[in-house]
Amino acid sequence: MAHDLSALSPEYLAFWGEYLMPTLTTLRTDGTPHVVPVGVTYDAGQRIARIITRKDSAKVKNIVAAGADGATVAVCQVDKGRWATLEGIGRVRTDSESVADAVRRYAERYGRTPTPNPDRVMIEIAVTKAMGRA
């Protein structure tokens, strides 16, 4: 079920704030999917999902390999009969301000601040589509 990004229900948005472990799907250079668990936050006002990770991770390499325009990606979470998917264009952000903001948002959603990591980057997803039954 597709949703209007400008009119997401309070239930749908609340679902993206619950302590769940979503998955991120990126595409490898051969076109096959790479699916891994991640922590993600969603800012509906900005239509941006954020993921913190290491700069040498496969997901980062897949996004970077797609080029300067970014890569088509999806994050999805499931809890029994409820599910939600956000699709969009993923780009890797390395500036300390963006990474710190993503860490702060992660700490708010998951109730813990990650250990400092000099290799941390942020995957920023400009969300273009929302689906689900949340």
Side-chain angles (χ1 to χ4, degrees), residues 8 16 24 36 86 103 110:
L8 295 172
W16 280 105
L24 170 70
V36 293
L86 300 171
V103 168
Y110 293 100

Side-chain angles (χ1 to χ4, degrees), residues 10-127:
E11 295 81 12
Y12 189 87
L13 295 174
F15 188 55
W16 280 105
E18 292 180 26
Y19 193 113
L20 297 168
M21 193 56 58
T23 59
L24 170 70
T25 302
T26 60
L27 296 177
R28 298 179 182 99
T29 55
D30 67 3
T32 59
H34 176 258
V35 183
V36 293
V38 294
V40 63
T41 62
Y42 180 53
D43 182 326
Q46 295 181 346
R47 295 185 183 172
I48 294 175
R50 293 171 177 85
I51 297 164
I52 54 175
T53 188
R54 292 178 335 276
K55 66 182 178 185
D56 63 347
S57 67
K59 56 190 160 290
V60 166
K61 290 176 184 176
N62 292 341
I63 292 170
V64 170
D69 291 336
T72 301
V73 301
V75 287
C76 180
Q77 63 184 24
V78 178
D79 181 44
K80 299 177 184 164
R82 301 179 307 151
W83 65 276
T85 299
L86 300 171
E87 295 180 5
I89 302 300
R91 292 179 180 85
V92 177
R93 303 287 185 219
T94 58
D95 64 285
S96 59
E97 195 172 295
S98 295
V99 173
D101 180 51
V103 168
R104 179 187 59 76
R105 292 169 187 267
Y106 177 97
E108 286 175 8
R109 178 175 182 183
Y110 293 100
R112 67 174 195 83
T113 301
T115 305
N117 182 344
D119 292 330
R120 181 170 289 134
V121 297
M122 185 256 289
I123 296 173
E124 179 181 274
I125 303 168
V127 176

